[in-house]
Amino acid sequence: MRATRSTAVLLALACLSIPVLAPAAPAQAPQAAAGGPPQRSYETRRLTGEPPRIDGHLDDAAWDAVPWAGDFLQREPADGAAPAQPSQFKVLFDDDALYFAFRLADDPARVAPILARHDWFPGDWIEVNIDSRADERTAYSFTLSLSGTRGDEYISEDGNSWNGNWDPVWEGATQVDDEGWTAEMRIPLSQLRFDAAKAADWGLQVHRRHFRDGQRSTWQHIPRNGNGWVSRFGDLRGLTGLAPARRIEVLPYVVAQHDREQAEAGNPFRDGTDGRLSGGLDAKLGLGNDFSLDLTVNPDFGQVEADPSQVNLSAFETFFEEKRPFFIEGADVLNLPLAPSVAGGHYTRDRLFYSRRLGHSPSWRPDLQAGESASAPDQTSIAAAAKLSGKTAGGLSVGVLQSVTARERADITGPGGDRQETVEPLTNYFVGRVTQDLRAGQTVVGGMLTSVVRDIDDPHLGFLERQAWAGGADLRHLFRDRDYRIEARVLGSHLRGSEEAILGAQTAPARYFQRPDNDHADVDPARTTLGGHAGSVMFTRTGNGTNLMYQVGGAWRSPGFEINDLGYMRSADEINQFAWVGYVQREPRGIFNTWQANANGWMDWDFGGARLGRALNVNLSAQLRGQQRFHASATRNSRRLSNTELRGGPASVWPGGWELSANVNNDERRALQLGGGAWWWRRDEGTQDSWSVWVETSWRPTNSLRVALNPSWERNDNHLQYVGTSGSDQGDRYVFGRLDQRTFSLTFRVDLCLTPALTVQYYGAPFLSAGRYESFRRVADPRAASLDQRFQALQAGEVTPADGGYAVDEDGDGTADYAFGRPDFNVRDFNSNLVVRWEYDAGSTLYLVWSQGRSDVVDQGGFDLGDDLDALFGKHPRNTFLVKVNRWFSL
């Protein structure tokens, strides 16, 4: 019966893909099909003399060769209305670059020249989007703020993805005059991708932000209720005789680092100081007109902020965002989520490629003998990495990442002499992704493959898989003028390794094959391979020309599906169905500039046919006329059946609950920006009451200084927090307790921009969390109807402190039947980073960095803000001082 239900669910999900076979409407010009504004064009000219100086003055004779273009229309807040101030621009080109001039009318006494670091887009700005491939899918964005701050982004998926980590080398300058302000840009053709042999107009959009009035206006008007962005650009004509740009960029670097920490008596590896001098190389090579090859040798990321501190009491791995520049730039090319991002579903972070796997902490900790000390690396070294990316004129996109991480060893010394022990094997990582645009990008088919191959010679590393492969195919199909979208993907995985490694994969939290009531996936300790499949389908109405949107679909992953060697996934053995409907008001009405409401629901099953849970969620968000924003959300979770809460034990029934959240933010144009929010979760049957509140403050006392202070406070009163599993003569005992957890965190930032090229940034983040356990209980009947039947309280006489933990005597015979460790905790962390960044020449940067870390973990359990802060800052810090300089060469 269970297998039949599982099959029926999969067949129902597959039926959602039937509209893929429906005949597509003939391809039409998107503006005409939508009945939108006509497509505009600008005729540029080739420079015949000296190029203009990029100083913002517009007094070069070269600009007289081309006319002004203007007649911008608002996009926000009043879509299609005339803007508060007119804007104009001109375009020139030569064999080396595109040149833009801008005349932006305004009151010069009221403009907002706000300084900020690169890619922050502060104050008044002007922006150019260029579809140089003429593929109506991708474009390059260049933004110049009145203050001179530059920003740049790579646009893909027809405007659905904006990657701010693309960092080209280009120039821009501004000036304020009696009529408002002016700007000039020089964009080297070497920073763009185009087919010089193909005579085609390029897509062009010019976009202005008028900070004081909260308006955005564009040259090519694109209504907000229409779909697409790049596909609806105007045309840039007259680009004749372009030659392929030679693209060879080299960025060598040198790093000097000095570490100071408290010396450890008797440990020769911890004498309190350490230093190193190292170097490396980044390079970018153009391969024809369409592709680029990025290389890095011995990369250094010393200027990157530390991850935020947190306490993870679940069985699942914490997801951390990528912050390293090499892996962020172009990351969208290698991105394939396991399922489309859905409102309600919980698969939105699961993906085939999770770049934080590269350079992770070593997998093995040495077993030290008495009197031994060890020195092991904190992270695995990335010896080299190469990334190939590009898109052909025929719409074929390719992304390939190849990386090798070094074999890492721990140095060990002690009474028996010196030795080394491998803590991470030499490992090769590969990621490949291809997509093909069809029907002018309205249909996209693609595929992706990832692999991890480890060179394991040491028996103690046999718990690692030798080979891990994953991949699949995906489809996105738009029809009826992009108003409807169908997405589907089918994925598979395959692991190879020792019996130990594959047994570890079978019993990992993602699947828990060892559950005693698991009747559809068995543990096989003799296996040396493991495979599985996953996929998703979704049908969406995007809301083109209407305020109503909806989507419906589902996703699955089989019990044996595993991608965590190079991807990220929390749970296998699940089938998920979801539906979402939303209404958006895009035009200003009443007190609102815009508002949106939506509702969604989802249900989950496992592959045995058991329904795991269901939930219903509603959301409301709005922006008021004064630019204030708010969001509110409510979710009702039903009683659920969990295959993971007992961490390898049988499935168990858990109460449902209510989850509420809300946040508000005031007008971002104000010098003092305030915001805050709250979250609350109450589980039924009085089993959990948790909440958190946070405040967001940002003060801009001058146009060059910004100070932000964001404190938060969380209280978690959980009567059913997992403590541990202990063996006894009567079988495994799954012990839970009442956890009283209190957490305080604070993020403090100072951004000082002396010039657009010289910035000083400070980041500091203390984190305090304490948890005390009491009222222990064990699982009696995990599927019983009532809470008292599912859990049996351990009485005071049954639980006694023993050996730093607790001993339990269930039968009262005076002999402990089992024991568990003391779970109380105090976690105290402080991470800070001071970075001086000076772009002393185009693309060349000097970094001065001071990082400090403090950490303290004890098992006290009580929370006292003053005492915990005193204990944290009484802990000896680890200080790192770093100087990094790189130099950009264009060959």
Side-chain angles (χ1 to χ4, degrees):
M1 177 64 179
R2 287 190 174 184
T4 302
R5 290 180 59 189
S6 176
T7 303
V9 172
L10 285 171
L11 289 173
L13 296 179
C15 289
L16 293 173
S17 64
I18 290 176
V20 174
L21 305 177
Q28 305 179 47
Q31 301 287 5
Q39 190 174 47
R40 306 186 68 182
S41 64
Y42 183 88
E43 189 79 23
T44 185
R45 292 186 183 180
R46 175 181 288 274
L47 277 165
T48 57
E50 289 293 319
R53 296 183 307 277
I54 305 303
D55 55 14
H57 280 295
L58 310 188
D59 54 0
D60 299 274
W63 291 121
D64 296 334
V66 286
W68 288 106
D71 298 326
F72 283 47
L73 292 177
Q74 275 193 60
R75 181 170 171 83
E76 295 178 12
D79 196 7
Q85 300 289 347
S87 308
Q88 294 178 299
F89 70 93
K90 294 183 176 186
V91 188
L92 290 166
F93 76 100
D94 60 18
D95 288 337
D96 299 319
L98 291 176
Y99 302 86
F100 287 85
F102 305 94
R103 159 61 63 188
L104 306 159
D106 206 342
D107 181 349
R110 303 179 66 192
V111 293
I114 300 174
L115 274 166
R117 62 180 177 177
H118 189 86
D119 281 342
W120 266 37
F121 313 106
D124 289 301
W125 51 248
I126 188 70
E127 179 179 278
V128 172
N129 299 166
I130 303 169
D131 176 11
S132 55
R133 290 193 177 103
D135 63 1
E136 299 188 357
R137 293 269 301 155
T138 61
Y140 303 93
S141 178
F142 304 85
T143 308
L144 182 61
S145 295
L146 172 56
S147 63
T149 298
R150 289 174 291 125
D152 26 67
E153 296 169 292
Y154 176 70
I155 308 170
S156 59
E157 299 181 19
D158 197 11
N160 289 323
S161 175
W162 294 65
N163 186 341
N165 298 292
W166 174 65
D167 288 319
V169 177
W170 58 285
E171 299 175 65
T174 64
Q175 297 290 336
V176 177
D177 60 20
D178 293 341
E179 299 178 40
W181 60 288
T182 56
E184 289 178 306
M185 293 182 185
R186 180 184 183 275
I187 301 173
L189 294 176
S190 63
Q191 306 301 299
L192 306 176
R193 303 295 171 263
F194 59 91
D195 188 350
K198 178 183 176 182
D201 299 332
W202 290 3
L204 177 67
Q205 178 66 290
V206 183
H207 185 187
R208 179 184 180 183
R209 182 196 194 190
H210 192 244
F211 183 74
R212 185 175 68 257
D213 287 332
Q215 290 184 4
R216 297 192 181 203
S217 57
T218 57
W219 169 64
Q220 174 64 63
H221 181 56
I222 302 174
R224 284 192 292 158
N225 65 354
N227 287 315
W229 179 251
V230 181
S231 60
R232 301 180 186 271
F233 282 1
D235 285 339
L236 177 60
R237 298 177 177 173
L239 294 168
T240 58
L242 293 180
R246 184 180 182 184
R247 297 180 283 122
I248 302 178
E249 300 174 17
V250 180
L251 191 72
Y253 78 85
V254 176
V255 173
Q257 180 174 323
H258 178 71
D259 298 317
R260 295 186 64 87
E261 61 182 339
Q262 187 175 25
E264 182 179 319
N267 187 343
F269 300 115
R270 300 284 296 274
D271 62 0
T273 64
D274 191 19
R276 69 180 178 95
L277 180 65
S278 64
L281 177 73
D282 294 334
K284 184 186 293 286
L285 288 75
L287 305 179
N289 296 314
D290 301 319
F291 292 94
S292 293
L293 179 64
D294 292 89
L295 304 170
T296 184
V297 178
N298 192 31
D300 177 86
F301 308 111
Q303 74 275 17
V304 175
E305 287 181 1
D307 291 317
S309 301
Q310 55 184 278
V311 175
N312 183 357
L313 299 177
S314 76
F316 303 106
E317 175 188 14
T318 300
F319 181 92
F320 288 110
E321 298 291 344
E322 181 60 86
K323 299 180 181 180
R324 300 169 295 178
F326 179 82
F327 296 105
I328 293 177
E329 184 173 346
D332 55 300
V333 179
L334 298 172
N335 184 37
L336 182 61
L338 296 194
S341 180
V342 299
H346 47 255
Y347 296 161
T348 55
R349 283 184 168 172
D350 295 359
R351 61 200 63 193
L352 280 185
F353 176 47
Y354 176 45
S355 59
R356 293 296 294 265
R357 301 293 182 207
L358 282 74
H360 61 78
S361 300
S363 304
W364 174 258
R365 290 180 177 270
D367 291 325
L368 300 181
Q369 305 300 317
E372 286 189 326
S373 300
S375 174
D378 294 327
Q379 285 87 32
T380 305
S381 301
I382 300 173
K387 183 167 52 179
L388 174 70
S389 61
K391 187 173 185 177
T392 69
L396 177 66
S397 294
V398 178
V400 176
L401 173 68
Q402 175 75 39
S403 179
V404 176
T405 58
R407 188 185 309 275
E408 299 290 355
R409 295 180 173 90
D411 295 316
I412 303 172
T413 187
D418 298 338
R419 62 187 177 93
Q420 286 189 324
E421 191 169 306
T422 302
V423 294
E424 186 71 28
L426 177 72
T427 306
N428 184 84
Y429 297 91
F430 172 84
V431 184
R433 171 90 165 122
V434 295
T435 61
Q436 175 65 57
D437 292 354
L438 304 171
R439 301 172 59 248
Q442 296 190 69
T443 299
V444 181
V445 295
M448 187 166 179
L449 177 67
T450 71
S451 78
V452 178
V453 179
R454 298 183 176 94
D455 182 17
I456 301 175
D457 295 327
D458 302 272
H460 64 267
L461 296 180
F463 66 93
L464 296 171
E465 293 88 5
R466 287 186 176 274
Q467 298 178 13
W469 299 81
D474 62 301
L475 166 73
R476 187 183 66 177
H477 178 67
L478 299 167
F479 57 100
R480 293 194 180 179
D481 191 35
R482 304 173 185 264
D483 194 19
Y484 296 90
R485 181 176 71 239
I486 294 171
E487 295 173 88
R489 57 203 71 184
V490 179
L491 310 167
S493 68
H494 182 75
L495 303 182
R496 289 182 177 271
S498 66
E499 293 178 357
E500 179 187 7
I502 301 306
L503 179 61
Q506 294 177 80
T507 57
R511 51 196 54 78
Y512 285 139
F513 279 9
Q514 71 271 33
R515 289 188 294 112
D517 58 348
N518 188 345
D519 59 2
H520 59 278
D522 298 324
V523 174
D524 182 354
R527 295 187 68 164
T528 57
T529 64
L530 181 67
H533 56 87
S536 62
V537 289
M538 183 170 76
F539 173 75
T540 305
R541 186 181 185 186
T542 60
N544 185 16
T546 181
N547 295 336
L548 182 66
M549 302 168 289
Y550 54 82
Q551 57 186 214
V552 62
W556 76 91
R557 64 228 19 223
S558 72
F561 186 69
E562 169 58 25
I563 59 172
N564 281 315
D565 286 86
L566 190 49
Y568 181 88
M569 181 187 71
R570 288 175 62 92
S571 299
D573 191 13
E574 286 191 7
I575 302 169
N576 170 254
Q577 175 274 327
F578 56 87
W580 179 93
V581 61
Y583 183 89
V584 58
Q585 177 60 52
R586 299 181 177 90
E587 297 301 318
R589 290 189 180 179
I591 63 172
F592 298 105
N593 275 336
T594 63
W595 64 268
Q596 177 174 329
N598 63 65
N600 57 97
W602 61 95
M603 290 188 288
D604 300 323
W605 297 263
D606 67 16
F607 268 66
R611 191 175 74 188
L612 302 178
R614 58 183 176 180
L616 178 66
N617 165 263
V618 293
N619 298 274
L620 175 65
S621 59
Q623 183 191 62
L624 304 180
R625 289 294 185 105
Q627 304 287 315
Q628 300 89 352
R629 297 176 183 270
F630 75 85
H631 173 82
S633 174
T635 303
R636 173 60 191 175
N637 291 275
S638 69
R639 172 180 286 205
R640 62 189 177 91
L641 180 69
S642 172
N643 290 333
T644 61
E645 290 288 355
L646 302 193
R647 308 195 184 188
S652 53
V653 173
W654 289 80
W658 283 97
E659 182 178 7
L660 306 175
S661 66
N663 62 76
V664 296
N665 296 90
N666 75 338
D667 185 355
E668 66 175 353
R669 297 169 297 177
R670 295 181 178 273
L672 179 61
Q673 297 177 36
L674 300 174
W679 167 87
W680 176 67
W681 160 251
R682 172 168 288 179
R683 195 164 55 195
D684 297 342
E685 301 183 69
T687 56
Q688 186 174 6
D689 194 350
S690 300
W691 53 266
S692 64
V693 294
W694 61 92
V695 176
E696 300 171 349
T697 61
S698 177
W699 180 43
R700 195 178 65 248
T702 70
N703 281 337
S704 60
L705 177 63
R706 174 179 172 267
V707 180
L709 189 68
N710 302 326
S712 69
W713 172 257
E714 181 175 347
R715 177 74 181 272
N716 176 23
D717 184 11
N718 184 359
H719 294 232
L720 298 176
Q721 176 61 53
Y722 178 81
V723 173
T725 301
S726 300
S728 74
D729 293 340
Q730 292 78 33
D732 286 338
R733 293 301 195 231
Y734 306 98
V735 180
F736 288 74
R738 178 176 182 176
L739 169 64
D740 181 8
Q741 181 184 7
R742 309 180 188 203
T743 302
F744 170 80
S745 63
L746 174 69
T747 300
F748 176 65
R749 293 183 183 274
V750 177
D751 294 286
L752 174 62
C753 299
L754 301 174
T755 72
L758 179 58
T759 62
V760 181
Q761 297 171 264
Y762 176 78
Y763 159 82
F767 174 87
L768 307 171
S769 185
R772 176 169 289 164
Y773 289 77
E774 60 182 14
S775 302
F776 297 106
R777 58 181 79 186
R778 67 173 180 88
V779 174
D781 182 354
R783 296 198 187 209
S786 71
L787 182 68
D788 291 339
Q789 292 174 322
R790 293 196 298 274
F791 290 90
Q792 178 178 322
L794 299 177
Q795 304 303 318
E798 295 179 291
V799 181
T800 57
D803 298 327
Y806 296 92
V808 181
D809 178 12
E810 284 188 8
D811 54 17
D813 63 357
T815 302
D817 297 303
Y818 57 94
F820 57 90
R822 178 176 177 173
D824 299 342
F825 62 86
N826 285 74
V827 176
R828 305 162 181 144
D829 280 330
F830 175 73
N831 292 304
S832 69
N833 210 30
L834 176 65
V835 180
V836 179
R837 180 185 184 275
W838 176 35
E839 188 176 358
Y840 61 91
D841 201 0
S844 304
T845 309
L846 170 68
Y847 294 96
L848 304 177
V849 181
W850 169 41
S851 297
Q852 184 181 99
R854 301 169 187 258
S855 183
D856 186 31
V857 179
V858 295
D859 61 358
Q860 297 172 350
F863 184 91
D864 183 280
L865 181 60
D867 290 346
D868 282 329
L869 285 173
D870 288 343
L872 173 61
F873 287 100
K875 195 74 174 178
H876 199 286
R878 177 185 176 93
N879 289 297
T880 297
F881 303 93
L882 179 148
V883 179
K884 178 179 179 179
V885 60
N886 59 40
R887 178 71 185 183
W888 179 76
F889 298 95
S890 181
L891 306 178

